[in-house]
Structures are given as C-alpha cells and as structure tokens.
Amino acid sequence: MTMQNLDTPRAAIVVGASSGMGAAVVRRLVADGMTVAALDLATANWPADQPAAYTGAIDVTDADGVAAAIGGAAAALGGVDVVVNCAGILGPVTPTVETEQSTFERIIALNLGGAFAVTRASLALLLPRGYGRIIHIASIAGKEGNPQMAAYSASKAGVIGLVKSVGKEYAASGVTVNAIAPASIETPLIQGMTPERRDVQRSLIPMGRFGTVDEIAGLVSFIASPDSSFTTGFVFDATGGRADY
Ligand SMILES: NC(=O)c1ccc[n+]([C@@H]2O[C@H](COP(=O)([O-])OP(=O)(O)OC[C@H]3O[C@@H](n4cnc5c(N)ncnc54)[C@H](O)[C@@H]3O)[C@@H](O)[C@H]2O)c1
C-alpha cells in the first residue's frame, strides 16, 4: 500500500494557468493552502493578483519542453503532489468539409498530444513519490461530439481515453489520473464563439446557464485532495445536468 503523510503543505503545478479555468484553479489551490506553480504559453498575461509562488513558460506541444518546464517548476516548489492541465484551444467552429487537415492536426496535437506530454512528465515525478494527482480538463464535447467542432470533440474524446488508460495502468501506484468534462463555462474560450453559437451551447444545459470557473476550480480542489483517494481513470461531470453519463 502506498500512503503518504499529507499533513504537510502540498505543492501543485497548474498548466494553462494564466486564463480562464487555470487561473481560477491557481487561486483555489492557493486558498486551499497549497504552494502552486503556474505555467502557460502566454506568459505576458498573468492576472494582476496572480497568487502563485512560481510562474513559468510552457508549450504543451513541445514534449521535451513540457518535461523541462514541469521538472523546473517541481524543483522550484521542492517537489510536486498535484498537476492540473487546463491548456487547450477550441479552434475554429466550422463545417468539417471546410476544415483543413492541418487545423485538425494542430488541435489534436495541442489538446491531446499536450495532455499526453503533461501526463508523462508528471508521472515521472509522481510515481517515485508513491503519491500524486493528475487532472485534465476534457469536455462534454468529447462525450457527445459537438457539430462543427470535429477536431475539438475528437481531441477531448482522446483525453477521456487517455485518463481511462493511464488511470488503470497506474491504479496501484498512489497516483490517480482523472479528468473533468465541463459543458460551457464562462471563460475567454467561449467568449470567442458567435452569440448564436453561445445561445445554442447554453440551451443544451438543463440548469439554463453556463458554469463558472470557480465551480470547476472547486471540483479540481476535491479531486486534488487526499480525500479523493479511491477514484482514478474517471471523468467527473460538470455540465449543469447536460451529460447523460
Ligand atoms: N470554456 C469552456 O466552455 C470549456 C468547456 C469544456 C472544456 N474546456 C476546456 O477547459 C480548458 C481550459 O479552458 P478555458 O475555457 O479556461 O480556456 P482559456 O482560453 O481561458 O485558457 C486556456 C489556457 O491555455 C493556454 N494555452 C493555449 N495553448 C497552449 C500551449 N500550447 N501550451 C500551454 N498553454 C497553452 C492559454 O494561454 C490559456 O491561458 C481547455 O482545455 C478547454 O478546452 C473549456
């Protein structure tokens, strides 16, 4: 059995931390008493009230760079217990016949390839400690498939498959690997949609509203905690009642 005394303060790395859900997750984990490193591609965009103990650059499409960035952040924190990956892009919302192959490949490389790179680099640090939490933000689009969002939906379905596979593979290691599948959340990502598309997305949610970044951060807080110790390879719902499974 791999158990660790977790009375001591814990450390987390948040990837895709300068905006939207990632920024909210940083705030929440700091409020929970964790020491947090914030990593993002957009290093010029840190929120003014950024509470992270460490900030750094990462491009999740560069696997070697991901390992170096996560390793550097962990070294700066004196170790890491939790890695949350919020990096992702929506890409163009266009009919599939008008979507270039290169666009599809770019979105898959970032959303799915990035999730794999973050998972792999995180496991290398967490497995020797015998404790850890890896959390990815997938999407309801990966379960249901949103029209005109083939690449995005496929990338998020891939993230769901990734956490199911890796969660099972390392189930006995003390490291859990899970995802959250949100419906539309009020962030810059959905503000990039047309008003018509936003109306469609909202109408699909039985609660009749978009989610908030703080609701996602609250769920991350639970999954990241030692209390969430018997769940791995799972996709947590955050859809205001939209998801059927
Ligand atoms: N907003 C929604 O409605 C919604 C719904 C379901 C899932 N999601 C997913 O949640 C995650 C967070 O989305 P958000 O709404 O907070 O978006 P956001 O655009 O506010 O934040 C995404 C962050 O990822 C960073 N990023 C982009 N490319 C990167 C790269 N190559 N390397 C490192 N970082 C990179 C961006 O700089 C940004 O800070 C994404 O994976 C998104 O697909 C969002």
Side-chain angles (χ1 to χ4, degrees):
M1 171 120 63
T2 48
M3 297 289 276
Q4 175 179 309
N5 181 347
L6 291 163
D7 291 340
T8 51
R10 294 164 295 127
I13 297 172
V14 182
V15 177
S18 78
S19 172
M21 293 181 212
V25 168
V26 172
R27 288 194 299 273
R28 175 60 192 252
L29 295 184
V30 169
D32 288 348
M34 300 189 77
T35 308
V36 178
L39 303 177
D40 205 291
L41 182 68
T43 51
N45 294 345
W46 296 117
D49 55 352
Q50 165 64 21
Y54 171 95
T55 58
I58 192 167
D59 178 352
V60 297
T61 64
D62 170 9
D64 292 341
V66 167
I70 288 183
L77 298 178
V80 62
D81 305 289
V82 173
V83 179
V84 186
N85 174 31
C86 303
I89 56 167
L90 183 63
V93 179
T94 48
T96 298
V97 290
E98 294 169 17
T99 304
E100 298 290 341
Q101 185 72 22
S102 59
T103 301
F104 180 86
E105 287 169 3
R106 181 170 62 86
I107 294 165
I108 297 288
L110 202 157
N111 292 352
L112 179 55
F116 180 76
V118 170
T119 302
R120 193 166 169 270
S122 304
L123 285 171
L125 296 172
L126 297 172
L127 290 173
R129 294 163 69 84
Y131 178 86
R133 303 277 184 264
I134 300 172
I135 303 163
H136 293 284
I137 309 297
S139 171
I140 183 74
K143 292 181 175 182
E144 294 189 356
N146 287 352
Q148 302 194 353
M149 293 165 58
Y152 183 79
S153 301
S155 74
K156 296 301 186 176
V159 172
I160 290 170
L162 175 75
V163 302
K164 288 184 177 185
S165 169
V166 182
K168 284 192 177 73
E169 185 176 342
Y170 294 104
S173 72
V175 180
T176 68
V177 186
N178 291 294
I180 298 173
S184 297
I185 307 295
E186 286 283 8
T187 73
L189 185 138
I190 62 159
Q191 280 146 22
M193 292 178 177
T194 62
E196 294 75 24
R197 167 62 66 164
R198 278 204 299 278
D199 288 345
V200 170
Q201 295 301 115
R202 192 187 296 102
S203 73
L204 295 170
I205 299 176
M207 285 190 188
R209 64 170 178 88
F210 293 139
T212 69
V213 292
D214 289 337
E215 288 174 315
I216 300 301
L219 189 49
V220 168
S221 169
F222 169 66
I223 304 168
S225 74
D227 284 346
S228 179
S229 52
F230 200 48
T231 306
T232 194
F234 187 64
V235 181
F236 287 79
D237 174 68
T239 63
R242 174 173 164 185
D244 291 327
Y245 74 98

